[in-house]
């Protein structure tokens, strides 16, 4: 997690929101990053992909800022959002 | 039989083939030093952890294999940081091992506690905080694998003291970590590049440190001659191609020769090989190679397209890709007009220097004298500043890994400990550290290490009583307002060297200083030679920082003498 967020800070990439979900037994996580209007999106992907801890990088055009925002509302559904898990 | 974490760590290093490491002991790392006590591993006791880091770097840069430095927790770890960051920027395989306070004390602001994991995170290829002795069995081989695979780089391993002391029975030792071969570059990309190179009218090969990292120097030269394409080199590529290769135009960029930068203005095709379009090489990036289609071959896919968009992207090992590229270019290409143009630009823009009789202590004369006095396989290290650029411009490097310099981070204080490391790694070879009077003071304490080891390292200090490159920029770009760039109290460096137990000399400007220099370099063993140079001597050409490369400033008042005359 710190490797991923640190990368955005030191490379000066835009990052608006982060969602991190542990997978299975917690040995791996799925991190969703909201990267709006970042002109260097391919660079972002390549820099992420070369981190040793990063297993795979995928774009999710099906998700929007609203999907991230739903986590901040205290609705009961917030714990199990559909469409977030890969 | 049970082993302690420290003994496991030592044995894993032995299995990696580590025979020499550099470091400084302290509380948290003491169990490891206890395990080293009866080991065959030779420990080089540096006098500052940054020195230890650069000694390890000198070993790694001279051999291409990962080297190890060791420090204790807290200040030991923070003192290593500069050497680790330096290794990151120049893609040097380094494994840095630090002690940490015991696990139970982590987070309590314990004595000599610092968040080494957090501090090393942005300056390493990867970093580890070891949580148990058993984890060492996975982490240590993995650290060597990561440091040496793909694009090399530093890896940090932070080991709490109680992990070093924990006892464990090791049933099976892991295989040593080895470099993993990179993914093979697909054929179609190479086919397309071969066609584009054949069709280009004015191609240039732009060589970076990756050429040396990949051991691709032979393939690069073959390609250049097959294509009749001139080559330009970054600071980190010097040594890959000899300076007298007719197709080699030397270093490009901020202190490159004017003809080299002008050639790039005219190129219609630029093939970057293991180079990363660093700002000191490209100048203002949008104006770099304005007429050229760009192809980029790099082992790190993230470098491709980072600064310039490219028409041909090739991720892979440079030696492998160039070999396959040459298979597709069986017929030599003839480009007489373009080669003649390159030769014309090279001849029209030599380096400028005063006649030798008038100013024998001009740095370019000194560098020629050094080159004449040491064997062709001598290793040169530099510090950072004017002396570094003069060496890069004028020293005739003919072999890879004979020029060790801090390129990306630009660390003053690199040269002396790196020279010690290079000498340890390459016994029998002459090593010279060209330094400045500003830089040498930044890791001066390693003269004690040098005296103790009695290695054949000559330290040559170009002494102008200034931070010369700062002074030069203040002269050229800050209206001659020399803020904090002059040393009003200069130490007697020859006497300092003698106080450390080394031969110390100061060249006599009124005698025959070049003959004296040559004579001193013939003598065996370590020494320091203090060389007074003119404080107004500037490095030319110089592209103003942030400007396009064609805007280089030159020194019209000096007489032109060919750099290789």
């Amino acid at each position: 997690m710190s490797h991923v967020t640190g990368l955005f800070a030191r490379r000066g990439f835009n990052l608006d929101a982060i969602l991190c979900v542990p997978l299975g037994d917690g040995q791996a996580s799925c991190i969703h990053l909201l990267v709006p209007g970042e002109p260097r999106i391919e660079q972002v992907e390549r820099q992420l992909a070369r981190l040793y801890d990063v297993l795979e990088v995928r774009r999710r055009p099906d998700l929007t800022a609203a999907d991230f925002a739903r986590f901040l509302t205290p609705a009961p559904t917030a714990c199990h959002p559909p469409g977030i898990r890969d | 039989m049970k082993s302690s974490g420290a003994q496991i760590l030592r044995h894993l290093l032995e299995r990696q083939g580590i025979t020499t490491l550099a470091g400084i002991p302290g509380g948290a790392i003491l169990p490891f030093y206890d395990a080293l006590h009866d080991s065959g591993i030779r420990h080089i006791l540096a006098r500052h952890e940054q020195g230890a880091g650069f000694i390890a770097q000198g070993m790694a840069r001279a051999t291409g294999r990962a080297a190890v430095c060791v420090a204790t927790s807290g200040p030991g770890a923070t003192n290593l940081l500069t050497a680790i960051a330096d290794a990151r920027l120049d893609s040097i395989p380094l494994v840095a091992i630090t002690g940490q306070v015991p696990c139970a004390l982590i987070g309590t602001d314990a004595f000599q506690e610092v968040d080494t994991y957090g501090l090393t995170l942005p300056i390493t290829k990867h970093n580890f905080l070891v949580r148990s002795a058993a984890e060492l069995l996975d982490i240590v081989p993995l650290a060597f694998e990561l440091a040496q695979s793909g694009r090399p780089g530093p890896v940090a391993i932070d080991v709490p003291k109680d992990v070093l002391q924990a006892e464990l029975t090791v049933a099976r030792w892991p295989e040593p970590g080895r470099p993993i071969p990179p993914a093979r570059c697909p054929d179609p990309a190479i086919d397309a590049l071969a066609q584009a190179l054949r069709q280009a009218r004015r191609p240039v090969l732009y060589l970076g440190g990756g050429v040396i990292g990949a051991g691709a120097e032979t393939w690069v030269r073959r390609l250049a001659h097959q294509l009749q394409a001139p080559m330009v080199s970054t600071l980190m590529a010097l040594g890959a191609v000899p300076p007298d290769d007719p197709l080699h135009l030397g270093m490009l960029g901020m202190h490159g020769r004017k003809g080299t930068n002008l050639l790039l203005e005219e190129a219609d095709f630029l093939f970057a090989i293991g180079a990363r379009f660093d700002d000191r090489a490209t100048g203002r990036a949008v104006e770099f190679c304005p007429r050229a289609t760009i192809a980029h071959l790099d082992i790190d896919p993230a470098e491709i397209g980072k600064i310039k968009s490219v028409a041909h992207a090739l991720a892979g090992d440079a030696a492998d890709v160039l070999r396959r590229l040459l298979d597709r270019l069986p017929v030599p290409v003839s480009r007489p007009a373009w080669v003649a143009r390159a030769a014309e630009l090279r001849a029209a823009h030599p380096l400028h220097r005063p006649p030798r009789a008038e100013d024998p202590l001009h740095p370019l004369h000194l560098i020629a004298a050094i080159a004449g006095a040491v064997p062709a396989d001598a290793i040169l290290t530099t510090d950072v500043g004017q002396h570094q650029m003069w060496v890069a411009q004028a020293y005739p490097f003919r072999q890879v890994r004979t020029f060790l310099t801090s390129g990306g981070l630009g660390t003053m204080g690199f040269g002396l400990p790196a020279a010690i490391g290079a000498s340890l790694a390459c016994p029998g070879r002459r090593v010279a550290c060209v330094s400045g009077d500003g830089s040498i003071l930044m890791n001066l304490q390693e003269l004690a290490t040098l005296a103790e080891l009695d290695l054949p390292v000559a330290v040559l200090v170009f002494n102008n009583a200034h931070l010369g490159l700062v002074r030069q920029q203040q002269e050229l770009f800050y209206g001659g307002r020399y803020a904090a760039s002059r040393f009003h109290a200069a130490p007697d460096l020859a006497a300092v060297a003698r106080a450390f137990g080394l031969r110390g000399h100061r060249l006599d400007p009124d005698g025959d200083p070049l003959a004296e220099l040559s004579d001193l370099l013939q003598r065996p063993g370590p020494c320091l030679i203090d060389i007074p140079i003119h404080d107004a001597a500037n490095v030319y050409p110089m592209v103003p920082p942030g400007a396009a490369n064609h805007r280089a400033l030159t020194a019209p008042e000096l007489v032109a003498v060919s750099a290789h005359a």
Side-chain angles (χ1 to χ4, degrees):
Chain A
M1 181 80 171
S2 50
H3 278 107
V4 171
T5 53
L7 172 74
F8 277 80
R10 67 177 175 273
R11 297 249 172 216
F13 297 141
N14 291 324
L15 176 60
D16 269 20
I18 308 169
L19 278 175
C20 186
V21 187
L23 295 177
D25 60 0
Q27 288 286 305
S29 307
C30 181
I31 304 178
H32 297 268
L33 303 163
L34 181 60
V35 188
E38 173 54 64
R40 294 169 295 167
I41 189 69
E42 280 187 23
Q43 247 309 291
V44 174
E45 286 181 80
R46 286 180 183 161
Q47 293 289 351
L48 282 170
R50 76 173 187 166
L51 295 176
Y52 172 72
D53 281 340
V54 172
L55 305 175
E56 191 189 355
V57 182
R58 244 186 291 163
R59 282 199 216 186
R60 290 292 301 270
D62 54 312
L63 297 181
T64 65
D67 292 306
F68 284 79
R70 272 187 294 128
F71 276 87
L72 297 174
T73 58
T77 55
C79 297
H80 304 286
I84 296 287
R85 290 178 192 223
D86 280 343
Chain B
M1 198 184 85
K2 290 201 169 199
S3 310
S4 70
Q7 288 166 331
I8 291 169
L9 176 57
R10 181 201 73 197
H11 191 55
L12 290 169
L13 294 177
E14 287 168 347
R15 289 171 62 84
Q16 287 296 146
I18 296 298
T19 55
T20 306
L21 48 77
I24 300 189
I29 194 72
L30 266 182
F32 175 66
Y33 275 81
D34 195 41
L36 273 187
H37 184 67
D38 55 0
S39 152
I41 294 178
R42 182 184 187 193
H43 180 269
I44 303 301
L45 178 62
R47 301 314 199 254
H48 185 290
E49 288 85 354
Q50 191 185 111
F54 284 130
I55 288 171
Q57 270 216 37
M59 296 192 280
R61 287 178 189 248
T63 61
R65 294 191 300 275
V68 178
C69 55
V70 184
T72 193
S73 63
T78 56
N79 280 347
L80 268 188
L81 294 178
T82 301
I84 296 173
D86 190 278
R88 177 68 162 151
L89 270 280
D90 284 348
S91 306
I92 305 303
L94 182 76
V95 174
I97 297 170
T98 48
Q100 182 53 278
V101 301
C103 290
L105 291 183
I106 289 179
T108 66
D109 302 321
F111 178 64
Q112 292 193 332
E113 182 190 359
V114 75
D115 175 11
T116 305
Y117 180 85
L119 288 169
T120 52
L121 189 142
I123 56 169
T124 51
K125 210 172 152 186
H126 198 60
N127 59 347
F128 300 95
L129 172 57
V130 185
R131 300 282 182 178
S132 69
E135 274 189 13
L136 287 167
L137 296 166
D138 296 326
I139 287 174
V140 174
L142 179 57
F144 279 87
E145 178 191 309
L146 289 171
Q148 302 180 103
S149 295
R151 180 180 186 174
V155 177
I157 309 177
D158 196 29
V159 197
K161 188 175 188 180
D162 56 326
V163 170
L164 292 170
Q165 291 168 320
E167 302 254 304
L168 185 72
T169 303
V170 179
R172 196 174 146 267
W173 289 94
E175 284 302 304
R178 296 274 175 253
I180 304 242
R184 186 180 153 90
C185 181
D187 282 320
I190 302 178
D191 294 336
L193 176 62
Q195 191 180 358
L197 282 167
R198 260 194 305 263
Q199 288 170 350
R201 294 173 58 212
R202 299 183 303 278
V204 174
L205 308 186
Y206 156 41
L207 317 180
V211 169
I212 295 171
E217 61 276 7
T218 311
W219 298 108
V220 162
R221 289 175 64 189
R222 255 185 235 177
L223 180 69
H225 286 269
Q226 188 77 343
L227 290 171
Q228 289 295 291
M231 297 170 274
V232 301
S233 292
T234 67
L235 181 73
M236 296 303 293
L238 294 176
V241 182
D244 46 10
D245 186 312
L247 289 172
H248 190 212
L249 272 85
M251 188 170 70
L252 79 161
M254 183 176 276
H255 296 293
R257 268 182 268 167
K258 198 161 185 170
T260 309
N261 288 328
L262 288 175
L263 183 83
L264 289 162
E265 296 279 313
E266 298 178 12
D268 73 343
F269 196 94
L270 183 77
F271 182 19
I273 306 168
R276 61 182 173 87
F277 295 82
D278 171 71
D279 56 272
R280 297 289 141 138
T282 64
R284 201 170 121 78
V286 291
E287 290 185 61
F288 180 62
C289 295
R291 293 164 186 84
T293 303
I294 296 176
H296 193 175
L297 162 57
D298 206 286
I299 201 161
D300 180 359
E303 282 304 337
I304 299 171
K306 186 181 82 176
I307 304 291
K308 297 284 274 186
S309 349
V310 301
H312 299 267
L314 298 97
D317 174 71
D320 173 63
V321 173
L322 295 181
R323 182 183 52 75
R324 290 157 62 199
L325 182 63
L326 273 160
D327 286 344
R328 290 158 169 80
L329 296 164
V331 184
V333 184
S334 174
R335 292 191 176 89
W338 180 230
V339 171
R341 176 65 181 149
E344 179 191 0
L345 282 169
R346 180 173 152 139
H349 301 281
L351 293 176
H352 293 75
R353 70 187 86 176
R356 189 175 143 138
E358 204 172 283
D359 185 6
L361 288 173
H362 187 276
L364 296 182
H365 294 312
L366 289 168
I367 287 160
I370 297 165
V374 300
D377 71 344
I379 297 170
L380 245 77
T381 73
T382 70
D383 270 300
V384 172
Q386 287 180 315
H387 69 273
Q388 178 191 31
M389 290 300 114
W390 282 315
V391 167
Q393 288 179 330
Y395 193 90
F397 293 104
R398 303 186 163 276
Q399 293 179 29
V400 297
R401 305 190 184 282
T402 54
F403 179 40
L404 314 184
T405 195
S406 170
L409 196 65
T411 312
M412 295 167 69
F414 170 92
L416 170 58
I420 293 171
S423 186
L424 287 165
C426 304
R429 282 169 70 181
R430 190 67 163 135
V431 179
C433 163
V434 177
S435 185
D437 57 303
S439 285
I440 193 63
L441 292 179
M442 292 210 181
N443 270 320
L444 187 78
Q445 75 287 341
E446 300 310 326
L447 287 179
T449 314
L450 177 59
E452 189 169 285
L453 296 170
D454 195 29
L455 297 164
V457 173
V459 180
L460 309 162
V461 183
F462 287 18
N463 191 341
N464 55 13
H466 278 81
L467 293 163
L469 207 45
V470 172
R471 196 211 64 84
Q472 173 170 343
Q473 293 210 32
Q474 288 170 335
E475 177 189 332
L476 297 177
F477 312 121
Y478 292 89
R481 293 180 296 280
Y482 299 112
S485 55
R486 182 175 170 201
F487 297 123
H488 295 277
D492 177 346
L493 290 171
V496 167
R498 287 193 289 273
F500 275 101
L502 296 162
R503 279 194 289 123
H505 311 275
R506 182 172 170 86
L507 291 193
D508 176 11
D510 299 324
D512 184 348
L514 295 181
E516 189 187 358
L517 174 63
S518 182
D519 172 54
L520 291 171
L521 282 171
Q522 308 295 335
R523 298 192 208 168
C527 66
L528 182 146
I529 307 171
D530 187 11
I531 307 172
I533 64 167
H534 202 297
D535 61 10
N538 285 340
V539 184
Y540 287 118
M542 179 173 195
V543 177
N549 278 348
H550 63 82
R551 302 174 73 99
L553 308 173
T554 52
E557 74 276 15
L558 295 176
V559 179
V561 177
S562 167
H564 306 296

